[in-house]
Short mmCIF file of all heavy atoms in Angstrom, two decimals:
data_model
loop_
_atom_site.label_atom_id
_atom_site.label_comp_id
_atom_site.label_asym_id
_atom_site.label_seq_id
_atom_site.Cartn_x
_atom_site.Cartn_y
_atom_site.Cartn_z
N MET V 1 -34.10 -43.91 -26.44
CA MET V 1 -32.91 -44.06 -25.58
C MET V 1 -32.69 -42.76 -24.80
O MET V 1 -32.74 -41.68 -25.36
CB MET V 1 -31.70 -44.39 -26.45
CG MET V 1 -30.74 -45.32 -25.75
SD MET V 1 -29.68 -46.21 -26.91
CE MET V 1 -28.41 -44.99 -27.13
N GLY V 2 -32.52 -42.90 -23.56
CA GLY V 2 -32.32 -41.73 -22.72
C GLY V 2 -30.87 -41.30 -22.68
O GLY V 2 -30.10 -41.60 -23.59
N ALA V 3 -30.51 -40.59 -21.65
CA ALA V 3 -29.14 -40.12 -21.49
C ALA V 3 -28.27 -41.28 -20.99
O ALA V 3 -28.52 -41.83 -19.93
CB ALA V 3 -29.09 -38.96 -20.51
N VAL V 4 -27.32 -41.61 -21.81
CA VAL V 4 -26.46 -42.73 -21.46
C VAL V 4 -25.02 -42.22 -21.33
O VAL V 4 -24.55 -41.51 -22.22
CB VAL V 4 -26.55 -43.84 -22.54
CG1 VAL V 4 -25.59 -44.98 -22.24
CG2 VAL V 4 -27.97 -44.35 -22.65
N PRO V 5 -24.33 -42.49 -20.26
CA PRO V 5 -22.96 -42.02 -20.12
C PRO V 5 -22.04 -42.65 -21.17
O PRO V 5 -22.17 -43.84 -21.49
CB PRO V 5 -22.57 -42.44 -18.70
CG PRO V 5 -23.56 -43.47 -18.31
CD PRO V 5 -24.80 -43.20 -19.07
N LYS V 6 -21.18 -41.80 -21.74
CA LYS V 6 -20.32 -42.26 -22.82
C LYS V 6 -19.15 -43.07 -22.30
O LYS V 6 -18.65 -43.95 -22.98
CB LYS V 6 -19.81 -41.04 -23.59
CG LYS V 6 -19.38 -41.34 -25.02
CD LYS V 6 -19.31 -40.07 -25.83
CE LYS V 6 -19.34 -40.38 -27.32
NZ LYS V 6 -19.43 -39.14 -28.11
N HIS V 7 -18.73 -42.70 -21.09
CA HIS V 7 -17.57 -43.40 -20.52
C HIS V 7 -17.90 -43.89 -19.12
O HIS V 7 -18.66 -43.25 -18.39
CB HIS V 7 -16.36 -42.45 -20.45
CG HIS V 7 -15.92 -41.96 -21.78
ND1 HIS V 7 -15.25 -42.76 -22.69
CD2 HIS V 7 -16.10 -40.76 -22.39
CE1 HIS V 7 -15.02 -42.05 -23.79
NE2 HIS V 7 -15.52 -40.82 -23.63
N ARG V 8 -17.27 -44.96 -18.80
CA ARG V 8 -17.41 -45.50 -17.45
C ARG V 8 -16.65 -44.59 -16.48
O ARG V 8 -15.51 -44.19 -16.75
CB ARG V 8 -16.79 -46.90 -17.43
CG ARG V 8 -16.71 -47.54 -16.05
CD ARG V 8 -15.86 -48.82 -16.17
NE ARG V 8 -15.18 -49.06 -14.89
CZ ARG V 8 -15.76 -49.74 -13.89
NH1 ARG V 8 -16.96 -50.22 -14.01
NH2 ARG V 8 -15.10 -49.92 -12.77
N ILE V 9 -17.30 -44.23 -15.37
CA ILE V 9 -16.61 -43.46 -14.34
C ILE V 9 -15.91 -44.45 -13.41
O ILE V 9 -16.56 -45.33 -12.83
CB ILE V 9 -17.59 -42.56 -13.57
CG1 ILE V 9 -18.17 -41.49 -14.51
CG2 ILE V 9 -16.91 -41.89 -12.38
CD1 ILE V 9 -19.35 -40.74 -13.95
N THR V 10 -14.60 -44.30 -13.32
CA THR V 10 -13.85 -45.23 -12.47
C THR V 10 -14.16 -44.96 -11.01
O THR V 10 -14.60 -43.86 -10.65
CB THR V 10 -12.33 -45.07 -12.69
OG1 THR V 10 -11.94 -43.75 -12.32
CG2 THR V 10 -11.96 -45.31 -14.15
N SER V 11 -13.93 -45.94 -10.18
CA SER V 11 -14.22 -45.79 -8.75
C SER V 11 -13.41 -44.64 -8.15
O SER V 11 -13.87 -43.95 -7.25
CB SER V 11 -13.93 -47.09 -8.01
OG SER V 11 -12.59 -47.47 -8.19
N ARG V 12 -12.20 -44.42 -8.68
CA ARG V 12 -11.37 -43.33 -8.17
C ARG V 12 -12.00 -41.97 -8.48
O ARG V 12 -12.07 -41.10 -7.62
CB ARG V 12 -9.97 -43.42 -8.77
CG ARG V 12 -8.95 -42.57 -8.01
CD ARG V 12 -7.55 -42.79 -8.49
NE ARG V 12 -7.23 -41.94 -9.63
CZ ARG V 12 -6.05 -41.93 -10.23
NH1 ARG V 12 -5.10 -42.75 -9.85
NH2 ARG V 12 -5.83 -41.14 -11.25
N ARG V 13 -12.43 -41.79 -9.73
CA ARG V 13 -13.04 -40.51 -10.11
C ARG V 13 -14.34 -40.29 -9.34
O ARG V 13 -14.63 -39.17 -8.92
CB ARG V 13 -13.32 -40.48 -11.62
CG ARG V 13 -12.05 -40.31 -12.43
CD ARG V 13 -12.39 -39.96 -13.88
NE ARG V 13 -12.89 -38.60 -14.00
CZ ARG V 13 -13.13 -37.99 -15.15
NH1 ARG V 13 -12.91 -38.63 -16.29
NH2 ARG V 13 -13.59 -36.77 -15.18
N ARG V 14 -15.12 -41.32 -9.21
CA ARG V 14 -16.40 -41.20 -8.50
C ARG V 14 -16.16 -40.80 -7.04
O ARG V 14 -16.79 -39.91 -6.50
CB ARG V 14 -17.16 -42.52 -8.58
CG ARG V 14 -18.54 -42.46 -7.96
CD ARG V 14 -19.32 -43.74 -8.20
NE ARG V 14 -18.61 -44.87 -7.62
CZ ARG V 14 -18.42 -46.03 -8.24
NH1 ARG V 14 -18.89 -46.22 -9.47
NH2 ARG V 14 -17.79 -47.01 -7.65
N LYS V 15 -15.20 -41.47 -6.42
CA LYS V 15 -14.90 -41.17 -5.01
C LYS V 15 -14.33 -39.77 -4.85
O LYS V 15 -14.64 -39.08 -3.88
CB LYS V 15 -13.93 -42.22 -4.46
CG LYS V 15 -14.62 -43.53 -4.13
CD LYS V 15 -13.61 -44.60 -3.80
CE LYS V 15 -14.34 -45.93 -3.63
NZ LYS V 15 -13.36 -47.04 -3.45
N ASN V 16 -13.48 -39.35 -5.81
CA ASN V 16 -12.93 -37.99 -5.76
C ASN V 16 -14.04 -36.95 -5.84
O ASN V 16 -14.05 -35.98 -5.09
CB ASN V 16 -11.95 -37.77 -6.91
CG ASN V 16 -10.54 -38.18 -6.53
OD1 ASN V 16 -10.16 -38.10 -5.37
ND2 ASN V 16 -9.77 -38.61 -7.51
N ARG V 17 -14.98 -37.18 -6.75
CA ARG V 17 -16.08 -36.24 -6.91
C ARG V 17 -16.93 -36.17 -5.64
O ARG V 17 -17.29 -35.10 -5.17
CB ARG V 17 -16.95 -36.65 -8.11
CG ARG V 17 -18.01 -35.61 -8.45
CD ARG V 17 -18.87 -36.03 -9.64
NE ARG V 17 -19.66 -37.19 -9.31
CZ ARG V 17 -19.72 -38.30 -10.07
NH1 ARG V 17 -19.02 -38.38 -11.19
NH2 ARG V 17 -20.47 -39.30 -9.71
N ARG V 18 -17.24 -37.32 -5.08
CA ARG V 18 -18.05 -37.35 -3.86
C ARG V 18 -17.33 -36.73 -2.68
O ARG V 18 -17.96 -36.11 -1.82
CB ARG V 18 -18.48 -38.78 -3.56
CG ARG V 18 -19.55 -39.21 -4.57
CD ARG V 18 -20.02 -40.62 -4.35
NE ARG V 18 -20.94 -40.98 -5.43
CZ ARG V 18 -21.46 -42.18 -5.61
NH1 ARG V 18 -21.14 -43.16 -4.79
NH2 ARG V 18 -22.28 -42.41 -6.59
N ALA V 19 -16.02 -36.88 -2.67
CA ALA V 19 -15.24 -36.27 -1.59
C ALA V 19 -15.34 -34.75 -1.65
O ALA V 19 -15.45 -34.08 -0.62
CB ALA V 19 -13.78 -36.71 -1.69
N GLN V 20 -15.36 -34.19 -2.87
CA GLN V 20 -15.51 -32.75 -3.04
C GLN V 20 -16.90 -32.30 -2.61
O GLN V 20 -17.06 -31.31 -1.92
CB GLN V 20 -15.32 -32.36 -4.52
CG GLN V 20 -13.89 -32.36 -4.98
CD GLN V 20 -13.79 -31.98 -6.44
OE1 GLN V 20 -14.76 -32.07 -7.20
NE2 GLN V 20 -12.61 -31.55 -6.85
N THR V 21 -17.91 -33.06 -3.05
CA THR V 21 -19.30 -32.69 -2.79
C THR V 21 -19.59 -32.63 -1.30
O THR V 21 -20.29 -31.74 -0.84
CB THR V 21 -20.25 -33.69 -3.46
OG1 THR V 21 -19.79 -33.92 -4.78
CG2 THR V 21 -21.66 -33.17 -3.52
N TRP V 22 -19.05 -33.59 -0.57
CA TRP V 22 -19.39 -33.69 0.85
C TRP V 22 -18.46 -32.89 1.74
O TRP V 22 -18.71 -32.78 2.94
CB TRP V 22 -19.43 -35.15 1.28
CG TRP V 22 -20.54 -35.88 0.61
CD1 TRP V 22 -20.42 -36.80 -0.42
CD2 TRP V 22 -21.94 -35.75 0.86
NE1 TRP V 22 -21.67 -37.22 -0.80
CE2 TRP V 22 -22.61 -36.60 -0.04
CE3 TRP V 22 -22.69 -34.99 1.75
CZ2 TRP V 22 -24.01 -36.70 -0.06
CZ3 TRP V 22 -24.07 -35.11 1.71
CH2 TRP V 22 -24.71 -35.95 0.83
N ALA V 23 -17.40 -32.34 1.17
CA ALA V 23 -16.45 -31.62 2.01
C ALA V 23 -17.01 -30.27 2.45
O ALA V 23 -16.78 -29.85 3.57
CB ALA V 23 -15.13 -31.41 1.26
N ALA V 24 -17.79 -29.62 1.57
CA ALA V 24 -18.24 -28.26 1.83
C ALA V 24 -19.22 -28.11 3.00
O ALA V 24 -18.98 -27.29 3.86
CB ALA V 24 -18.83 -27.67 0.55
N PRO V 25 -20.32 -28.88 3.08
CA PRO V 25 -21.27 -28.60 4.15
C PRO V 25 -20.87 -29.14 5.52
O PRO V 25 -21.65 -29.03 6.46
CB PRO V 25 -22.56 -29.25 3.66
CG PRO V 25 -22.12 -30.34 2.78
CD PRO V 25 -20.77 -29.97 2.23
N SER V 26 -19.68 -29.71 5.62
CA SER V 26 -19.27 -30.30 6.89
C SER V 26 -18.61 -29.29 7.82
O SER V 26 -18.06 -29.66 8.83
CB SER V 26 -18.34 -31.48 6.64
OG SER V 26 -17.13 -31.01 6.10
N LEU V 27 -18.63 -27.98 7.43
CA LEU V 27 -17.99 -26.97 8.26
C LEU V 27 -19.04 -26.00 8.80
O LEU V 27 -19.39 -25.03 8.13
CB LEU V 27 -16.93 -26.20 7.45
CG LEU V 27 -15.66 -26.97 7.09
CD1 LEU V 27 -14.91 -26.25 5.98
CD2 LEU V 27 -14.77 -27.12 8.30
N PRO V 28 -19.61 -26.26 9.98
CA PRO V 28 -20.54 -25.31 10.55
C PRO V 28 -19.76 -24.21 11.26
O PRO V 28 -19.28 -24.41 12.37
CB PRO V 28 -21.35 -26.16 11.53
CG PRO V 28 -20.47 -27.30 11.87
CD PRO V 28 -19.35 -27.37 10.89
N HIS V 29 -19.53 -23.07 10.60
CA HIS V 29 -18.64 -22.12 11.23
C HIS V 29 -19.35 -21.21 12.22
O HIS V 29 -20.42 -20.68 11.96
CB HIS V 29 -17.74 -21.38 10.25
CG HIS V 29 -18.43 -20.54 9.24
ND1 HIS V 29 -18.94 -21.07 8.07
CD2 HIS V 29 -18.68 -19.22 9.20
CE1 HIS V 29 -19.47 -20.08 7.38
NE2 HIS V 29 -19.35 -18.95 8.03
N LEU V 30 -18.73 -21.15 13.35
CA LEU V 30 -19.28 -20.41 14.48
C LEU V 30 -18.25 -19.40 14.96
O LEU V 30 -17.06 -19.63 14.85
CB LEU V 30 -19.60 -21.37 15.63
CG LEU V 30 -20.72 -22.40 15.40
CD1 LEU V 30 -20.66 -23.48 16.46
CD2 LEU V 30 -22.07 -21.73 15.41
N ILE V 31 -18.73 -18.30 15.48
CA ILE V 31 -17.86 -17.31 16.11
C ILE V 31 -18.34 -17.08 17.53
O ILE V 31 -19.46 -17.47 17.87
CB ILE V 31 -17.84 -15.97 15.32
CG1 ILE V 31 -19.26 -15.40 15.18
CG2 ILE V 31 -17.17 -16.15 13.96
CD1 ILE V 31 -19.30 -13.91 14.98
N THR V 32 -17.52 -16.46 18.32
CA THR V 32 -17.96 -16.13 19.67
C THR V 32 -18.52 -14.71 19.67
O THR V 32 -17.98 -13.82 19.04
CB THR V 32 -16.80 -16.23 20.68
OG1 THR V 32 -15.71 -15.46 20.21
CG2 THR V 32 -16.36 -17.67 20.87
N CYS V 33 -19.63 -14.53 20.40
CA CYS V 33 -20.27 -13.23 20.50
C CYS V 33 -19.35 -12.26 21.23
O CYS V 33 -18.83 -12.60 22.29
CB CYS V 33 -21.59 -13.39 21.25
SG CYS V 33 -22.41 -11.83 21.61
N PRO V 34 -19.14 -11.06 20.67
CA PRO V 34 -18.26 -10.09 21.37
C PRO V 34 -18.87 -9.58 22.66
O PRO V 34 -18.14 -9.04 23.51
CB PRO V 34 -18.08 -8.97 20.34
CG PRO V 34 -19.25 -9.09 19.43
CD PRO V 34 -19.63 -10.53 19.39
N GLU V 35 -20.17 -9.70 22.83
CA GLU V 35 -20.85 -9.19 24.02
C GLU V 35 -20.84 -10.19 25.16
O GLU V 35 -20.51 -9.85 26.29
CB GLU V 35 -22.30 -8.80 23.69
CG GLU V 35 -22.42 -7.72 22.63
CD GLU V 35 -21.79 -6.40 23.04
OE1 GLU V 35 -21.98 -5.98 24.19
OE2 GLU V 35 -21.10 -5.79 22.19
N CYS V 36 -21.24 -11.44 24.88
CA CYS V 36 -21.39 -12.41 25.96
C CYS V 36 -20.50 -13.64 25.80
O CYS V 36 -20.43 -14.45 26.71
CB CYS V 36 -22.86 -12.83 26.08
SG CYS V 36 -23.48 -13.71 24.63
N GLY V 37 -19.83 -13.77 24.66
CA GLY V 37 -18.93 -14.91 24.49
C GLY V 37 -19.61 -16.20 24.09
O GLY V 37 -18.96 -17.24 24.03
N GLU V 38 -20.88 -16.13 23.78
CA GLU V 38 -21.64 -17.31 23.35
C GLU V 38 -21.26 -17.67 21.92
O GLU V 38 -20.95 -16.80 21.11
CB GLU V 38 -23.12 -16.98 23.45
CG GLU V 38 -24.04 -18.18 23.32
CD GLU V 38 -24.22 -18.96 24.61
OE1 GLU V 38 -23.63 -18.58 25.65
OE2 GLU V 38 -24.96 -19.94 24.57
N MET V 39 -21.28 -18.97 21.59
CA MET V 39 -21.01 -19.40 20.23
C MET V 39 -22.23 -19.09 19.36
O MET V 39 -23.33 -19.59 19.62
CB MET V 39 -20.73 -20.91 20.19
CG MET V 39 -19.45 -21.31 20.89
SD MET V 39 -17.96 -20.59 20.18
CE MET V 39 -17.72 -21.65 18.76
N ILE V 40 -22.02 -18.24 18.37
CA ILE V 40 -23.13 -17.83 17.49
C ILE V 40 -22.69 -17.94 16.04
O ILE V 40 -21.50 -18.02 15.75
CB ILE V 40 -23.62 -16.39 17.79
CG1 ILE V 40 -22.46 -15.39 17.72
CG2 ILE V 40 -24.34 -16.33 19.12
CD1 ILE V 40 -22.87 -13.96 17.62
N ARG V 41 -23.67 -17.93 15.14
CA ARG V 41 -23.38 -17.95 13.71
C ARG V 41 -23.09 -16.52 13.25
O ARG V 41 -23.77 -15.59 13.67
CB ARG V 41 -24.58 -18.51 12.94
CG ARG V 41 -24.83 -19.97 13.27
CD ARG V 41 -26.13 -20.44 12.71
NE ARG V 41 -26.09 -20.47 11.25
CZ ARG V 41 -27.17 -20.65 10.49
NH1 ARG V 41 -28.34 -20.80 11.04
NH2 ARG V 41 -27.07 -20.67 9.19
N PRO V 42 -22.05 -16.34 12.42
CA PRO V 42 -21.74 -14.99 11.96
C PRO V 42 -22.87 -14.39 11.11
O PRO V 42 -23.58 -15.13 10.43
CB PRO V 42 -20.47 -15.17 11.13
CG PRO V 42 -20.42 -16.61 10.78
CD PRO V 42 -21.12 -17.34 11.88
N TYR V 43 -23.00 -13.08 11.16
CA TYR V 43 -24.04 -12.30 10.46
C TYR V 43 -25.44 -12.61 10.97
O TYR V 43 -26.43 -12.39 10.28
CB TYR V 43 -23.97 -12.49 8.92
CG TYR V 43 -22.57 -12.44 8.39
CD1 TYR V 43 -21.94 -13.57 7.92
CD2 TYR V 43 -21.86 -11.23 8.41
CE1 TYR V 43 -20.63 -13.53 7.46
CE2 TYR V 43 -20.56 -11.18 7.95
CZ TYR V 43 -19.95 -12.32 7.48
OH TYR V 43 -18.67 -12.27 7.03
N HIS V 44 -25.50 -13.12 12.21
CA HIS V 44 -26.79 -13.40 12.82
C HIS V 44 -26.84 -12.73 14.19
O HIS V 44 -25.81 -12.58 14.84
CB HIS V 44 -27.01 -14.91 12.98
CG HIS V 44 -27.38 -15.58 11.70
ND1 HIS V 44 -26.47 -15.81 10.70
CD2 HIS V 44 -28.56 -16.06 11.26
CE1 HIS V 44 -27.08 -16.42 9.70
NE2 HIS V 44 -28.35 -16.58 10.01
N VAL V 45 -28.04 -12.36 14.60
CA VAL V 45 -28.23 -11.78 15.92
C VAL V 45 -27.95 -12.85 16.97
O VAL V 45 -28.38 -13.99 16.84
CB VAL V 45 -29.68 -11.25 16.06
CG1 VAL V 45 -29.94 -10.71 17.46
CG2 VAL V 45 -29.96 -10.18 15.03
N CYS V 46 -27.23 -12.47 18.02
CA CYS V 46 -26.95 -13.39 19.11
C CYS V 46 -28.26 -13.68 19.85
O CYS V 46 -28.94 -12.75 20.28
CB CYS V 46 -25.91 -12.79 20.05
SG CYS V 46 -25.60 -13.79 21.50
N ARG V 47 -28.58 -14.95 20.00
CA ARG V 47 -29.84 -15.32 20.65
C ARG V 47 -29.72 -15.21 22.17
O ARG V 47 -30.73 -15.23 22.87
CB ARG V 47 -30.23 -16.76 20.29
CG ARG V 47 -30.33 -17.02 18.80
CD ARG V 47 -31.32 -16.13 18.06
NE ARG V 47 -32.70 -16.41 18.45
CZ ARG V 47 -33.76 -15.78 17.97
NH1 ARG V 47 -33.59 -14.82 17.07
NH2 ARG V 47 -34.96 -16.09 18.35
N ASN V 48 -28.50 -15.13 22.66
CA ASN V 48 -28.30 -15.07 24.11
C ASN V 48 -28.48 -13.65 24.65
O ASN V 48 -29.23 -13.44 25.59
CB ASN V 48 -26.92 -15.62 24.45
CG ASN V 48 -26.74 -15.82 25.94
OD1 ASN V 48 -27.55 -16.47 26.59
ND2 ASN V 48 -25.68 -15.26 26.48
N CYS V 49 -27.80 -12.66 24.03
CA CYS V 49 -27.86 -11.30 24.54
C CYS V 49 -28.61 -10.36 23.59
O CYS V 49 -28.87 -9.21 23.93
CB CYS V 49 -26.46 -10.77 24.85
SG CYS V 49 -25.38 -10.68 23.42
N GLY V 50 -28.96 -10.83 22.41
CA GLY V 50 -29.78 -10.04 21.50
C GLY V 50 -29.05 -8.89 20.83
O GLY V 50 -29.67 -7.90 20.46
N THR V 51 -27.75 -9.00 20.67
CA THR V 51 -27.01 -7.92 20.01
C THR V 51 -26.49 -8.38 18.66
O THR V 51 -26.26 -9.56 18.43
CB THR V 51 -25.81 -7.45 20.87
OG1 THR V 51 -24.97 -8.57 21.16
CG2 THR V 51 -26.28 -6.80 22.16
N TYR V 52 -26.31 -7.43 17.78
CA TYR V 52 -25.70 -7.69 16.49
C TYR V 52 -24.79 -6.51 16.18
O TYR V 52 -25.25 -5.36 16.13
CB TYR V 52 -26.77 -7.87 15.41
CG TYR V 52 -26.20 -8.06 14.02
CD1 TYR V 52 -25.41 -9.18 13.75
CD2 TYR V 52 -26.42 -7.14 13.02
CE1 TYR V 52 -24.88 -9.36 12.50
CE2 TYR V 52 -25.89 -7.32 11.76
CZ TYR V 52 -25.12 -8.43 11.50
OH TYR V 52 -24.59 -8.61 10.26
N ARG V 53 -23.51 -6.78 15.98
CA ARG V 53 -22.48 -5.78 15.71
C ARG V 53 -22.50 -4.67 16.77
O ARG V 53 -22.48 -3.48 16.45
CB ARG V 53 -22.63 -5.20 14.29
CG ARG V 53 -22.42 -6.27 13.23
CD ARG V 53 -22.55 -5.73 11.84
NE ARG V 53 -21.48 -4.75 11.52
CZ ARG V 53 -21.32 -4.18 10.33
NH1 ARG V 53 -22.10 -4.50 9.34
NH2 ARG V 53 -20.37 -3.32 10.13
N GLY V 54 -22.56 -5.08 18.02
CA GLY V 54 -22.48 -4.14 19.12
C GLY V 54 -23.72 -3.32 19.37
O GLY V 54 -23.72 -2.39 20.17
N ARG V 55 -24.81 -3.65 18.67
CA ARG V 55 -26.04 -2.90 18.80
C ARG V 55 -27.13 -3.82 19.36
O ARG V 55 -27.24 -4.97 18.95
CB ARG V 55 -26.47 -2.37 17.43
CG ARG V 55 -27.53 -1.27 17.48
CD ARG V 55 -27.58 -0.55 16.14
NE ARG V 55 -27.97 -1.45 15.05
CZ ARG V 55 -29.25 -1.65 14.70
NH1 ARG V 55 -30.23 -1.03 15.30
NH2 ARG V 55 -29.55 -2.47 13.71
N GLN V 56 -27.93 -3.29 20.29
CA GLN V 56 -29.02 -4.08 20.86
C GLN V 56 -30.15 -4.18 19.84
O GLN V 56 -30.68 -3.17 19.38
CB GLN V 56 -29.52 -3.40 22.15
CG GLN V 56 -30.39 -4.31 23.02
CD GLN V 56 -29.56 -5.38 23.74
OE1 GLN V 56 -28.48 -5.09 24.23
NE2 GLN V 56 -30.06 -6.59 23.80
N VAL V 57 -30.48 -5.40 19.46
CA VAL V 57 -31.51 -5.62 18.45
C VAL V 57 -32.75 -6.23 19.07
O VAL V 57 -33.87 -5.79 18.83
CB VAL V 57 -30.97 -6.53 17.31
CG1 VAL V 57 -32.02 -6.74 16.25
CG2 VAL V 57 -29.72 -5.91 16.69
N LEU V 58 -32.55 -7.22 19.92
CA LEU V 58 -33.66 -7.89 20.59
C LEU V 58 -33.62 -7.53 22.08
O LEU V 58 -32.60 -7.08 22.59
CB LEU V 58 -33.57 -9.41 20.42
CG LEU V 58 -33.55 -9.96 18.99
CD1 LEU V 58 -33.22 -11.44 19.02
CD2 LEU V 58 -34.87 -9.73 18.29
N ALA V 59 -34.73 -7.78 22.75
CA ALA V 59 -34.77 -7.58 24.20
C ALA V 59 -33.85 -8.61 24.86
O ALA V 59 -33.95 -9.79 24.61
CB ALA V 59 -36.20 -7.76 24.69
N ALA V 60 -32.92 -8.10 25.65
CA ALA V 60 -31.94 -8.96 26.29
C ALA V 60 -32.60 -9.86 27.33
O ALA V 60 -33.49 -9.44 28.06
CB ALA V 60 -30.85 -8.12 26.94
N LYS V 61 -32.13 -11.12 27.33
CA LYS V 61 -32.63 -12.09 28.30
C LYS V 61 -31.91 -11.87 29.62
O LYS V 61 -30.67 -12.02 29.69
CB LYS V 61 -32.37 -13.50 27.76
CG LYS V 61 -33.25 -14.56 28.36
CD LYS V 61 -33.31 -15.82 27.50
CE LYS V 61 -31.94 -16.44 27.25
NZ LYS V 61 -32.04 -17.66 26.44
N GLU V 62 -32.63 -11.45 30.63
CA GLU V 62 -32.01 -11.15 31.93
C GLU V 62 -31.60 -12.43 32.65
O GLU V 62 -32.32 -13.41 32.64
CB GLU V 62 -32.99 -10.37 32.80
CG GLU V 62 -33.34 -8.97 32.26
CD GLU V 62 -32.12 -8.04 32.12
OE1 GLU V 62 -31.23 -8.10 32.97
OE2 GLU V 62 -32.08 -7.28 31.13
N GLY V 63 -30.44 -12.35 33.26
CA GLY V 63 -29.99 -13.49 34.06
C GLY V 63 -28.86 -14.24 33.49
O GLY V 63 -28.47 -14.34 32.42
ZN1 ZN U 1 -24.23 -12.45 22.87
#
C-alpha cells in the first residue's frame, strides 16, 4: 500500500491551497530604468541603454 491520504481534502481547502500556489508567480515586477525610462527587471542590466545602477556595463545601443 502506498501513501494514502488520511482525510478527504474538501473542495474549499483544495481551492484555498491552489489559490495560494498560483498567486505568487503572477506578479512580474518591473521597474523603469533611471537612465532611459525603459521597463526593465530589477537587479538586471538594462538591455536598452546597457546601464546598471548608473554605471555603463554594456555598449550602449545608439539611436
Ligand atoms: Zn536604460
Side-chain angles (χ1 to χ4, degrees):
M1 214 158 85
V4 177
K6 203 162 199 173
H7 298 286
R8 173 189 151 86
I9 294 168
T10 62
S11 58
R12 195 173 87 179
R13 287 193 72 173
R14 185 174 60 226
K15 283 171 186 174
N16 272 330
R17 187 181 66 230
R18 287 179 185 174
Q20 284 180 340
T21 314
W22 294 106
S26 67
L27 289 163
H29 62 276
L30 294 165
I31 57 156
T32 53
C33 173
E35 299 298 317
C36 65
E38 192 82 0
M39 294 298 281
I40 55 164
R41 294 170 67 190
Y43 316 109
H44 284 74
V45 177
C46 175
R47 304 302 293 180
N48 190 53
C49 62
T51 56
Y52 177 64
R53 296 181 65 176
R55 195 163 62 90
Q56 195 74 41
V57 181
L58 302 170
K61 202 161 58 179
E62 295 300 323

